[in-house]
Amino acid sequence: MSLFEGNTIRLPASSDFHVHLRDGPMMDLVTPSVRSGGVDTCYVMPNTIPPITTPKQAIDYRSKLQALAPNVDFLMTLYLHESMTVETIIEAKKAGITGVKSYPAGVTTNSSSGVVDYAAFFPIFAQMEREDMVLNLHGECPSHGDITILNAESKFLPILASLASRFPRLRICLEHLTTAAAVEAVEKLGKNVVGTITCHHLYLVVDDWAGNSINYCKPVAKTVADRNALLRAVASGNPKFFFGSDSAPHPVTSKQGGVKVAAGVFSQPYTTQSVVGALERAVGMEILQREDVTLDKLEGFMSRHGRDFYKLPPTTETIELTKGDKRILDILESEDKTLQVIPFRAGEPTWSLKWTG
């Protein structure tokens, strides 16, 4: 049965396998909004300032997040860094750290300490393979020569293929896919390779961010054909694709009015609602057929596929979405109004969400 036969959708709680919760006042502001998006499990990115490079830093960070959102399960990662050793990976596994995130140097927010040469980290990857940890890849090459933000992802795909071949038992997640080429690459590579898809990339194309700094993120949204390929991947039911919001909050002063605009879209309070809205919109635009968008496929994308890849048990919580007159907040701000963040699709209609069990 089509997902949109009625005005109510009941789902298991969502799992968000790519979340930026920052630190300090921004962390305090956005972390309590996780459950507003129907999410009970978060895979937390480590590109804070300074980056999370040791197990102790990750455990301390998780404690701070848990104090702000005690009903959320926070899965922690380390930032792939030149200071990391094989012993770091052994210690991380013992401490319950789930994965290691690789950022190519300089491609996105707080990535200046990122990777220049992947070969230098082969011993780290080999130990991760032995420990059954996950390698999360920001899949772009730094801009230089003929590489720009528009083809940085496609230029990275040979690196992905090489890593998957060299480490066939290493679980690899290519983060925030934005192109049809990336979807195809993940489909063709082995079972150890999966990909996350954000909610904002199910809406945006290049024209939507070129004239609107709030929609500017890394990797950037690409063409109509690329966006449509992402929508079809979500509706395919293929377990290699699952949800990771890449919700990345920045103060409004960093997103508007500055000489250099910060890269990141903040979607956290409306993640599940936005995915449902994107699929509904795609049906209306005849990108997807109504019968292609089923409850089972949505459950798989929002929860089951990712939890299976990360070897987590099924969630025991449930949510209910209702179509009505709900609108997305124009702005999320701290109590003293000194920190303001503009959500993705601010002011636009959205499904309402409540927790049911």
Side-chain angles (χ1 to χ4, degrees):
M1 187 175 86
S2 169
L3 189 67
F4 305 116
E5 291 298 328
N7 291 325
T8 301
I9 301 171
R10 295 178 180 86
L11 295 166
S14 298
S15 300
D16 188 343
F17 287 101
H18 186 132
V19 178
H20 296 274
L21 297 172
R22 309 306 193 203
D23 208 345
M26 183 65 82
M27 175 187 69
D28 295 341
L29 177 62
V30 303
T31 304
S33 74
V34 168
R35 285 181 68 90
S36 299
V39 170
D40 71 352
T41 302
C42 282
Y43 194 71
V44 183
M45 295 295 105
N47 61 330
T48 52
I49 301 175
I52 306 296
T53 59
T54 70
K56 184 181 185 307
Q57 287 177 308
I59 297 305
D60 290 347
Y61 187 26
R62 179 166 58 193
S63 295
K64 292 191 289 185
L65 296 172
Q66 207 77 65
L68 292 166
N71 293 326
V72 176
D73 184 15
F74 295 101
L75 308 177
M76 306 309 291
T77 61
L78 299 183
Y79 186 112
L80 187 64
H81 188 265
E82 61 184 4
S83 65
M84 188 172 286
T85 65
V86 167
E87 288 70 29
T88 306
I89 298 302
I90 295 172
E91 182 186 353
K93 179 66 174 183
K94 290 178 179 177
I97 309 303
T98 305
V100 175
K101 177 65 181 284
S102 166
Y103 292 94
V107 300
T108 191
T109 302
N110 303 339
S111 64
S112 59
S113 300
V115 176
V116 175
D117 176 18
Y118 284 91
F121 292 97
F122 284 175
I124 300 295
F125 299 157
Q127 189 62 39
M128 290 176 62
E129 191 174 43
R130 287 189 286 270
E131 300 288 349
D132 194 27
M133 293 181 71
V134 175
L135 175 62
N136 301 92
L137 297 173
H138 181 116
E140 291 188 289
C141 291
S143 294
H144 71 279
D146 68 342
I147 300 175
T148 72
I149 58 173
L150 293 177
N151 66 357
E153 182 174 273
S154 60
K155 292 288 187 179
F156 182 84
L157 296 178
I159 297 173
L160 170 67
S162 176
L163 291 173
S165 175
R166 181 177 285 270
F167 302 101
R169 293 181 302 281
L170 176 62
R171 286 183 288 155
I172 299 173
C173 182
L174 183 63
E175 305 284 308
H176 41 50
L177 310 183
T178 65
T179 59
V183 170
E184 182 180 6
V186 169
E187 287 175 334
K188 288 184 175 180
L189 290 171
K191 292 181 179 180
N192 62 318
V193 178
V194 298
T196 58
I197 297 174
T198 76
C199 44
H200 55 275
H201 286 122
L202 299 179
Y203 289 86
L204 302 177
V205 296
V206 62
D207 289 1
D208 296 314
W209 60 261
N212 183 345
S213 60
I214 299 301
N215 292 336
Y216 175 62
C217 58
K218 292 285 193 72
V220 299
K222 307 298 194 306
T223 68
V224 170
D226 289 318
R227 181 204 57 200
N228 293 354
L230 299 177
L231 286 160
R232 293 185 183 106
V234 172
S236 70
N238 188 333
K240 294 191 116 200
F241 303 107
F242 51 84
F243 182 60
S245 70
D246 192 20
S247 178
H250 291 280
V252 64
T253 51
S254 298
K255 292 293 290 180
Q256 292 181 327
V259 174
K260 188 173 183 180
V261 175
V265 167
F266 175 58
S267 58
Q268 203 68 67
Y270 304 96
T271 48
T272 304
Q273 303 94 309
S274 292
V275 172
V276 170
L279 294 173
E280 183 182 34
R281 177 174 178 260
V283 169
M285 297 170 67
E286 299 185 348
I287 300 165
L288 300 174
Q289 299 301 308
R290 182 175 290 269
E291 60 269 20
D292 294 336
V293 186
T294 66
L295 186 64
D296 182 68
K297 289 177 180 177
L298 181 61
E299 289 179 2
F301 179 73
M302 295 303 301
S303 182
R304 189 173 62 248
H305 299 165
R307 297 185 77 91
D308 286 349
F309 178 76
Y310 281 97
K311 301 186 177 181
L312 302 174
T315 180
T316 59
E317 295 193 273
T318 56
I319 56 177
E320 182 177 285
L321 291 87
T322 303
K323 188 174 182 180
D325 56 2
K326 179 82 171 177
R327 289 186 176 270
I328 291 174
L329 283 174
D330 289 323
I331 200 157
L332 180 69
E333 60 183 2
S334 58
E335 287 187 9
D336 63 5
K337 302 188 186 302
T338 59
L339 182 60
Q340 299 177 320
V341 183
I342 297 178
F344 177 56
R345 299 178 58 243
E348 295 187 21
T350 188
W351 291 63
S352 63
L353 183 148
K354 67 179 181 179
W355 290 83
T356 54

